[in-house]
Amino acid sequence: MNKELMEALDILEKEKDIPKETLFDAIENSLITACKNHFGKADNVKVEIDKETCDFLCYAEKEVVEEVEDDVLQISLKEAQELSQKAQLGDILHVEIKSKEFGRIATQNAKNVILQKIREEERSVIYNQYYEKEKDVVTGIVQRHIGRNISINLGKADAILNESEQVRGENFKPTERIKVYILEVKNTPKGPRILVSRTHPELVKRLFEAEVTEIKDGTVEIMSIAREAGSRTKLAVRSINPNVDAVGACVGINGARVNSIVDELRGEKIDIVNWDENPGNLIQNALSPAKIVAVFADPDEKTAKVVVPDYQLSLAIGKEGQNARLAARLTGYKIDIKSETQAKDAPGFRYEDYVYDDEEYDEEDYEEDYDGSYDEEDAESYETEAYEDEESDEGAYEESEDGVEESEVEEEAAGDDEDV
């Protein structure tokens, strides 16, 4: 049993996550390469490795001949019978090759083949490991600044946090632990290249999924998210279970859940609102904490006109338009906000602009249908209908007169009876 080789393979498998099968293939190829460098040929060289004991045998297949013309491919009958008494002319004999006989150059080449295979396999393992974590959040340790970029150690690989993916105002010190969002993993000849971000909206989403149990098990869903990194984030959530409050689950007891995420984002403000299928209610929720008087939303055009109290206009728009901008991203609607005073004279911001739309539309249709002309058939049909109406009115009148006369006669008769 080759204990040293077995121990080395076990260490490589544990530390580098390289399977032994791959290492055995690397050893086999290295021995074949060494034979080729030593003898000049390796077409007839075979390598057998016992994977349980790690013992290996390297041999060359040689033909038994009377006169040897090629030492690499042929062996004389006399030499063959020394190895095997049953050897005869024309037989193929397995002649062992001792690796100790290899020269220094052949040995070095075999070593390089094994090391190259280990490096390639190690890169492949690291690439596959982090490729599975693409579009996910991982924890890394800040190593050093490379110009304006930051190198972050993720464990078995280093990632690059570019300047464009850094939040303005965030300063990191070496050995500091931070959470980053893996944007992309590229496989390059020098190993996997991992790009991470601190500004991506999915970073906030993944943090909530890790912190809030209801989101992880699917009871609460994150429907939409809008973020301005380092300043404010708006999150729209809904609950599948009517007994679970989506906003309350995300906030946590005394704000414990959302506060832990705010701390990770270095004080970035987070607004959590309820998702609503009604665009008017959704826009009203998205513009919180501002109070809304009216919302006129057009789902086809994806536009909305919002009326707010005069004293709430600046709050609804936000600092440098941030609140309105995030609400527009969250809902997908182009939002136009005006105060009540401004809305009085602005078209589309009053109820009257929408209440009388149907009546005006009917009058227009009537005017379009009526062209101001008629024919004789229309006149005859009109006279016939009028005549029938007159007959029905006369009949009704006669019936009423008859009813009156009969009732008067009955009353007179009743009066005469009383007198008698």
Side-chain angles (χ1 to χ4, degrees):
M1 180 180 291
N2 196 336
K3 293 184 178 180
E4 294 181 356
L5 181 58
M6 184 177 291
E7 290 177 359
L9 296 181
D10 289 337
I11 292 172
L12 286 173
E13 187 175 25
K14 291 179 181 178
E15 293 184 355
K16 307 291 186 180
D17 290 333
I18 302 175
K20 285 185 178 179
E21 294 291 335
T22 303
L23 296 173
F24 285 134
D25 292 340
I27 294 171
E28 182 179 343
N29 293 331
S30 67
L31 290 172
I32 294 174
T33 302
C35 292
K36 186 175 183 179
N37 291 330
H38 185 72
F39 299 108
K41 292 181 181 179
D43 297 338
N44 62 330
V45 175
K46 304 293 181 183
V47 178
E48 293 181 357
I49 301 177
D50 189 341
K51 297 178 181 179
E52 295 181 359
T53 62
C54 290
D55 293 331
F56 62 90
L57 175 64
C58 182
Y59 62 88
E61 295 179 346
K62 294 186 179 182
E63 183 181 0
V64 181
V65 295
E66 291 183 356
E67 296 182 0
V68 177
E69 298 178 356
D70 190 342
D71 294 338
V72 178
L73 301 176
Q74 298 174 343
I75 187 174
S76 65
L77 179 61
K78 183 178 179 181
E79 293 178 351
Q81 288 179 347
E82 291 178 357
L83 298 174
S84 175
Q85 295 180 355
K86 297 180 181 180
Q88 297 179 359
L89 293 175
D91 291 345
I92 302 297
L93 197 64
H94 292 174
V95 181
E96 183 181 357
I97 300 173
K98 295 183 179 180
S99 57
K100 295 180 180 180
E101 298 177 356
F102 293 157
R104 181 180 61 82
I105 296 176
T107 305
Q108 185 66 31
N109 290 337
K111 177 183 176 181
N112 292 337
V113 170
I114 295 175
L115 293 177
Q116 180 66 23
K117 184 64 176 178
I118 291 174
R119 281 194 294 266
E120 290 178 358
E121 193 64 26
E122 184 180 3
R123 290 171 184 171
S124 177
V125 169
I126 294 174
Y127 171 77
N128 293 332
Q129 180 180 351
Y130 285 97
Y131 184 76
E132 294 176 356
K133 296 181 179 180
E134 196 175 49
K135 312 301 180 186
D136 203 354
V137 173
V138 295
T139 303
I141 300 174
V142 178
Q143 286 187 318
R144 63 187 181 278
H145 290 266
I146 307 174
R148 295 185 177 181
N149 301 333
I150 301 175
S151 175
I152 299 175
N153 184 13
L154 301 181
K156 295 182 179 180
D158 292 340
I160 300 296
L161 180 61
N162 293 325
E163 182 186 8
S164 60
E165 300 298 334
Q166 298 176 24
V167 177
R168 185 176 300 177
E170 282 188 348
N171 296 318
F172 301 111
K173 298 178 181 179
T175 70
E176 189 174 359
R177 299 176 68 88
I178 60 172
K179 291 186 181 295
V180 292
Y181 177 77
I182 298 180
L183 284 176
E184 187 179 13
V185 181
K186 297 180 180 179
N187 197 6
T188 64
K190 295 183 179 180
R193 178 179 172 82
I194 305 173
L195 301 177
V196 296
S197 172
R198 286 277 296 177
T199 62
H200 204 282
E202 288 290 321
L203 173 63
V204 181
K205 184 177 181 179
R206 293 287 183 262
L207 290 176
F208 269 98
E209 290 176 353
E211 187 69 28
V212 181
T213 308
E214 288 79 3
I215 295 178
K216 188 182 298 183
D217 61 21
T219 305
V220 176
E221 296 180 349
I222 298 176
M223 302 301 296
S224 181
I225 184 170
R227 184 187 184 199
E228 288 191 359
S231 180
R232 184 180 290 274
T233 295
K234 282 184 179 289
L235 201 71
V237 295
R238 74 171 180 181
S239 174
I240 298 177
N241 188 346
N243 297 324
V244 176
D245 180 15
V247 175
C250 295
V251 173
I253 300 174
N254 295 328
R257 290 177 172 177
V258 71
N259 285 338
S260 64
I261 297 174
V262 170
D263 293 339
E264 179 60 40
L265 298 177
R266 307 298 175 92
E268 182 175 319
K269 297 177 182 178
I270 300 177
D271 295 340
I272 306 174
V273 301
N274 282 311
W275 174 268
D276 200 307
E277 295 297 336
N278 187 325
N281 295 337
L282 178 61
I283 293 170
Q284 184 173 352
N285 295 340
L287 287 171
S288 64
K291 296 180 180 179
I292 308 300
V293 175
V295 178
F296 305 102
D298 187 351
D300 297 331
E301 298 293 333
K302 288 292 182 180
T303 58
K305 300 182 185 297
V306 180
V307 182
V308 299
D310 293 348
Y311 67 94
Q312 292 276 305
L313 181 61
S314 59
L315 181 62
I317 296 174
K319 184 180 179 181
E320 297 179 355
Q322 184 186 69
N323 193 55
R325 187 165 56 249
L326 288 175
R329 292 180 191 172
L330 189 72
T331 60
Y333 278 72
K334 183 179 179 181
I335 301 175
D336 189 4
I337 304 174
K338 290 187 182 299
S339 65
E340 289 181 298
T341 304
Q342 296 171 343
K344 290 180 180 179
D345 302 326
F349 284 85
R350 299 168 300 179
Y351 288 107
E352 293 80 1
D353 298 334
Y354 300 92
V355 172
Y356 295 104
D357 281 351
D358 296 338
E359 296 182 2
E360 292 175 359
Y361 177 78
D362 295 340
E363 291 176 0
E364 291 176 358
D365 290 347
Y366 176 77
E367 292 174 357
E368 289 178 359
D369 295 339
Y370 177 67
D371 56 0
S373 61
Y374 65 95
D375 52 15
E376 294 179 357
E377 294 180 358
D378 293 337
E380 291 177 359
S381 62
Y382 176 75
E383 292 176 357
T384 304
E385 291 175 358
Y387 178 73
E388 290 175 353
D389 291 341
E390 289 179 359
E391 287 183 346
S392 61
D393 292 341
E394 290 176 359
Y397 176 72
E398 290 175 356
E399 289 177 359
S400 63
E401 287 184 345
D402 294 341
V404 170
E405 291 175 355
E406 290 176 359
S407 61
E408 290 178 353
V409 172
E410 290 176 356
E411 289 178 358
E412 292 177 358
D416 293 341
D417 294 336
E418 290 179 357
D419 295 335
V420 174

